Amino acid sequence: MCGIVGYLGKHDTKGILLDGLKELEYRGYDSAGIAVLQGDEFSYFKAVGKLVNLEAKTAGFSTSGFAAGIGHTRWATHGKPTEINAHPHLGESSYVVHNGIIENYQELKNALVAGGVHFLSQTDTEVIVHLFESLMNSGMEPMQAFRETVSRLKGAYAILLITKQMPDTIFFAKHGSPMIVGVNESDEKFFGSSDAALIGKCNRVVYLEDGQLGFVSRTGIHLENSNACVVPRFAALPESKLAAQKEGFRFFMEKEIYEQSEVLSDTLIGRLADEAIVFDELDPSLLDGINEIKLCACGTSYHAALASSYLFERLGKIRTSVEIASELRYKEPLLCSDTLFVAISQSGETADTLETLKMARAAGLKTLVICNVDNSSMVREADAAILTRAGIEKGVASTKAFATQMVVLWMFSLYVAQTKGAIGTQAMREQIALLREIPAVVKVDDGLHERIRRLSKRYLHGHGFFFIGRDIFFPLALEGALKLKEISYLHAEGYPSGEMKHGPIALADPELFTIALMPKNLLYDKTKSNVEELSARDATICAISDTPFEKADDFIPIAAHAHYMPEFFEMMVVLQLLSMEIAIRLGNDVDMPRNLAKSVTVE
Ligand code: F6R
C-alpha cells in the first residue's frame, strides 16, 4: 500500500526522503518518487519497481542548504504502475503526493479539462495539484487555494504539496488515511504515513486527525480544522522500528486481521457499479467459449477456491471444479479448451500452482490468476490477472489475503453471471449491496475480541479440534482448522458437518473440541442437528452463530445478518482471532510458525 514521506530542513533532503521510503517498503509498492524544492528550483525523480531503481536515478543529485522535499511509494489503484502514474504529480509549479482515493476525481477532472488543463497520468491524485493551481490562478493565496482544494475532495486522503509560490513550506491534509508530522531539536520537520518513517529522525510527533490540514515552514507548524486554528498536540515516538511497523499490535497477524476492513475497501474500489461488476483489467472476450471454470491453488488459497466454487455454480451458473495444485500436476488431468483455468495465489510464486498454470497454458486453456502481487511469476504467466490489493502480508498465516481473495472470487462469480446473462438486475443489485457491506462486517469489535481472548484459555489442550460447517462454511471450517494448526501446533481438522457421523464422530468425547459454524441464513437446522449429534456424545462444542445454541458449551456471538455472506466474513474474523489467541497463550511465535515459509517456491 502507498507510503508518504516529507522533509523540510537544511540537511541531506534526498537521503532523508529515501531513508523514510525504505522504512515504508514493508507495506508493498510498485513505483516510487521524490520531488525537492530548493529556492525556486524543482528536482524530481520517479522509478517503477523497487527503491534501488529510484536510488540509481537520484545518484547524481544532492541538495545543499534548506529544501522542501516530498516522497511516495505507490501501490497502483487508479492506473497501471508506470513512471507517469508514480507520485509526485506535477502541475505548472507545484508537486503533490497522496495516499487514499479521491472518489470524485472524475468529476473534478472533467471540470479542469474543460477549463483547458492537460493531464498526464491516469491517477486520481493528479486532480489535486491542478485544482490547487487553478484556484491560485483565480487569485487565491496558496493556503487559501489549498484549503479550498481540500474542501472539494471526496474520499480518503493524506496529502503533501509543495509549490514555488510559497517555497520553504510543505502543505498537508489528512482525512481517512494516516499522516504524522514530526519535529526535532534542530527544528527540522518530517512527515510520514507511518511511525516507521520517522523513528530515529525526530522525537516529537503530531498524529494528525481527520479533517486537519495546514503547512510547515521554517518558523513552525500551522494546523487548522474547519477554518479554525488548532494547537498541535505532540506525542512521543515509539523507539523500535519493528514495533512501529506493527502499529501497536502484538503481531503482524493481529495487525493484518484488523486491517481487513480497509484492504477490502481497496479490493472493491472501482469494481462495483450500481448493477454490474467492473473488472477493467479483463478483456471482455475472456469468457467467450467458456463452459467450465477450474480453480486451482494451495493451502489457504485453495480454501478460497473451494469456498468460491459454491458461488460460481450458485450465482455464476457455470460448472466449476477445484483442484489442489500439487495433486493436479501429476494426475494426468483432462484439460479442455472450453475451461477457464483460474489460479489463486497470494504470492504468485507458489511452485505447484505456477506449474499447473503453465500446464493449463500448454494445453491451450485460457488462464486467469487471482493474486496479491503484481509482476509476480503467475501474473506474468497468465493471460489475465485480477489483483486482490491486500497490501503486503507479513504474518505467515494468511488472513487479509484470504479475505481479499474471497471478495475477488465472489465478484468474479458475479462477473461470470452477468457476462452469461445468468443473473437478473434485482439479484445483481442485492449482491452488490452485500459486497458493499463486507468492509464494515470484518471490522474487529473490541468486545468480541476480548470475549475470544478470554475463551481461548479453555482450548489449549484436548486430543483435537474439529471445525465443522456446511456448504460454503465447510471450506471456511477447513481454513479455521488450518489457521489453528499452523500457529498453535494443535491438531485440527475441518469437516463438513453432515459427514461427522460417517466416521469422525467415533472420536467424540469431552476432550474433542468442536468449533461449529452455525450461520442463521444457510442450512441452520441441518447444521444444528449435526451439532446436536456431537453434543449428545459429550463432545465439547463452541458454537459460532448469531443465535445462542443451548447444547453448546461455549458460544461466540456474531451480529445478525440477513444473508449468509456477511455471516461468512464475520465468522472468518472470529476463527482468525480464536486461533491467534490460542497460539499466543501457548507462547508461540504467531508471525513465524515453526517449519513454515511465507512463499513456498519448492515443489
Ligand atoms: C496458510 C498459508 C498457506 C498459503 C499457501 C499458498 O496460512 O498462507 O497455506 O495459502 O502456501 O500460498 P499462495 O497463496 O502464496 O500461493
Side-chain angles (χ1 to χ4, degrees):
M1 314 304 280
C2 304
I4 287 187
V5 296
Y7 173 69
L8 186 79
K10 58 180 188 308
H11 288 115
D12 169 22
T13 306
K14 174 188 92 172
I16 290 170
L17 293 176
L18 290 178
D19 270 6
L21 290 178
K22 247 184 235 153
E23 296 300 336
L24 300 177
E25 270 195 305
Y26 73 97
R27 299 178 67 83
Y29 63 102
D30 38 47
S31 57
I34 60 169
V36 176
L37 179 60
Q38 260 200 302
D40 67 351
E41 202 176 313
F42 260 124
S43 312
Y44 80 95
F45 306 88
K46 299 184 188 193
V48 172
K50 293 292 159 203
L51 279 176
V52 285
N53 301 342
L54 185 63
E55 276 166 357
K57 285 205 167 178
T58 57
F61 168 69
S62 62
T63 49
S64 63
F66 205 86
I70 56 177
H72 192 265
T73 44
R74 174 173 186 257
W75 189 74
T77 53
H78 287 72
K80 292 191 182 318
T82 59
E83 222 167 86
I84 295 238
N85 286 336
H87 300 211
H89 288 286
L90 171 68
E92 296 280 314
S93 56
S94 320
Y95 273 95
V96 70
V97 292
H98 157 234
N99 282 359
I101 304 278
I102 306 301
E103 284 166 8
N104 60 336
Y105 86 100
Q106 196 59 55
E107 194 183 303
L108 296 170
K109 184 170 177 175
N110 292 347
L112 288 161
V113 169
V117 175
H118 178 60
F119 278 74
L120 291 174
S121 77
Q122 301 162 301
T123 65
D124 52 338
T125 303
E126 202 184 336
V127 295
I128 301 171
V129 69
H130 292 308
L131 182 56
F132 171 73
E133 293 194 335
S134 79
L135 290 166
M136 277 203 303
N137 292 340
S138 73
M140 289 186 189
E141 293 298 316
M143 184 58 209
Q144 196 188 357
F146 186 69
R147 190 184 292 125
E148 181 60 25
T149 301
V150 171
S151 75
R152 296 194 194 176
L153 304 178
K154 290 199 184 120
Y157 45 81
I159 297 168
L160 295 184
L161 184 145
I162 48 180
T163 180
K164 282 188 187 178
Q165 267 65 26
M166 202 160 141
D168 299 351
T169 304
I170 302 177
F171 292 92
F172 61 84
K174 179 221 183 304
H175 184 77
S177 291
M179 175 68 87
I180 304 161
V181 195
V183 292
N184 64 10
E185 290 83 6
S186 324
D187 218 14
E188 295 168 284
K189 320 284 183 319
F190 300 85
F191 288 91
S193 50
S194 144
D195 282 353
L198 303 182
I199 287 173
K201 301 188 177 75
C202 53
N203 37 22
R204 292 196 315 140
V205 293
V206 182
Y207 292 90
L208 294 178
E209 288 170 21
D210 282 349
Q212 293 189 328
L213 72 158
F215 60 83
V216 295
S217 63
R218 283 179 188 250
T219 51
I221 302 179
H222 167 81
L223 184 61
E224 60 179 60
N225 198 351
S226 318
N227 280 342
C229 281
V230 175
V231 180
R233 279 214 324 251
F234 285 95
L237 251 193
E239 280 170 17
S240 140
K241 286 187 181 173
L242 195 66
Q245 287 184 2
K246 287 189 197 148
E247 292 168 11
F249 292 101
R250 294 166 291 175
F251 291 95
F252 281 108
M253 180 182 180
E254 185 175 37
K255 173 172 169 273
E256 286 158 6
I257 293 171
Y258 274 74
E259 253 170 25
Q260 290 179 120
S261 176
E262 195 184 321
V263 297
L264 284 178
S265 300
D266 288 340
T267 307
L268 293 174
I269 275 172
R271 289 169 170 169
L272 300 181
D274 287 344
E275 293 167 7
I277 302 293
V278 184
F279 280 123
D280 284 336
E281 53 273 76
L282 299 185
D283 188 308
S285 68
L286 180 72
L287 294 170
D288 288 357
I290 296 297
N291 294 312
E292 180 176 343
I293 287 187
K294 193 177 274 301
L295 304 161
C296 183
C298 300
T300 288
S301 300
Y302 167 73
H303 296 152
L306 196 59
S308 68
S309 68
Y310 291 79
L311 303 178
F312 279 104
E313 298 217 331
R314 187 169 291 148
L315 301 170
K317 305 281 178 240
I318 187 156
R319 201 167 54 239
T320 305
S321 56
V322 191
E323 306 277 357
I324 292 176
S326 55
E327 286 298 306
L328 184 70
R329 280 182 74 173
Y330 302 105
K331 79 192 252 196
E332 297 175 27
L334 293 177
L335 297 171
C336 305
S337 59
D338 68 345
T339 301
L340 175 68
F341 186 87
V342 183
I344 300 144
S345 173
Q346 187 283 126
S347 62
E349 303 296 344
T350 303
D352 283 320
T353 315
L354 180 60
E355 281 312 309
T356 60
L357 185 60
K358 291 181 183 162
M359 268 170 64
R361 287 205 71 186
L365 271 63
K366 284 191 197 172
T367 56
L368 167 70
V369 63
I370 291 175
C371 189
N372 193 34
V373 182
D374 198 7
N375 289 318
S376 56
S377 304
M378 283 185 224
V379 169
R380 282 184 274 116
E381 179 72 28
D383 296 318
I386 304 178
L387 295 178
T388 50
R389 304 178 182 164
I392 199 160
E393 190 178 59
K394 282 204 146 187
V396 164
S398 187
T399 51
K400 60 178 183 167
F402 174 76
T404 55
Q405 286 170 344
M406 276 309 304
V407 163
V408 166
L409 285 159
W410 179 9
M411 285 194 286
F412 188 59
S413 72
L414 292 169
Y415 181 86
V416 172
Q418 89 193 9
T419 309
K420 298 209 162 281
I423 186 164
T425 311
Q426 186 50 29
M428 188 58 129
R429 276 179 181 274
E430 283 164 16
Q431 289 290 318
I432 287 171
L434 285 168
L435 277 159
R436 289 191 199 280
E437 271 181 42
I438 303 305
V441 166
V442 298
K443 236 188 192 115
V444 180
D445 175 81
D446 287 345
L448 178 72
H449 191 169
E450 178 55 17
R451 186 184 176 99
I452 292 170
R453 196 187 66 76
R454 294 183 63 80
L455 198 115
S456 61
K457 61 177 169 291
R458 296 196 223 163
Y459 293 93
L460 307 177
H461 59 291
H463 60 69
F465 285 75
F466 270 90
F467 286 68
I468 61 170
R470 294 185 85 114
D471 199 279
I472 189 168
F473 291 84
F474 157 53
L476 184 60
L478 287 173
E479 176 57 11
L482 179 63
K483 284 293 84 87
L484 183 69
K485 69 185 135 200
E486 65 185 331
I487 57 175
S488 72
Y489 318 139
L490 294 169
H491 179 73
E493 275 189 69
Y495 235 77
S497 311
E499 271 290 294
M500 290 300 284
K501 60 175 145 322
H502 298 290
I505 203 166
L507 291 168
D509 70 19
E511 296 295 285
L512 179 78
F513 298 143
T514 302
I515 313 294
L517 307 184
M518 304 179 68
K520 198 59 201 279
N521 294 291
L522 195 68
L523 301 170
Y524 181 78
D525 289 332
K526 306 248 175 244
T527 309
K528 195 168 154 209
S529 313
N530 301 142
V531 182
E532 272 165 0
E533 287 154 14
L534 282 158
S535 169
R537 279 141 190 102
D538 229 8
T540 297
I541 313 280
C542 174
I544 307 175
S545 181
D546 75 344
T547 309
F549 176 52
E550 66 284 2
K551 305 261 171 65
D553 301 85
D554 283 317
F555 176 62
I556 303 179
I558 61 159
H561 297 285
H563 192 276
Y564 63 85
M565 287 310 287
E567 291 183 300
F568 178 96
F569 280 94
E570 199 174 335
M571 287 189 193
M572 172 198 80
V573 175
V574 169
L575 296 178
Q576 294 166 343
L577 291 172
L578 183 64
S579 56
M580 184 187 76
E581 291 301 339
I582 291 174
I584 292 174
R585 281 189 189 274
L586 291 170
N588 298 344
D589 183 344
V590 166
D591 285 334
M592 285 204 215
R594 68 184 186 205
N595 306 336
L596 297 180
K598 186 71 189 155
S599 189
V600 185
T601 50
V602 291
E603 191 174 341

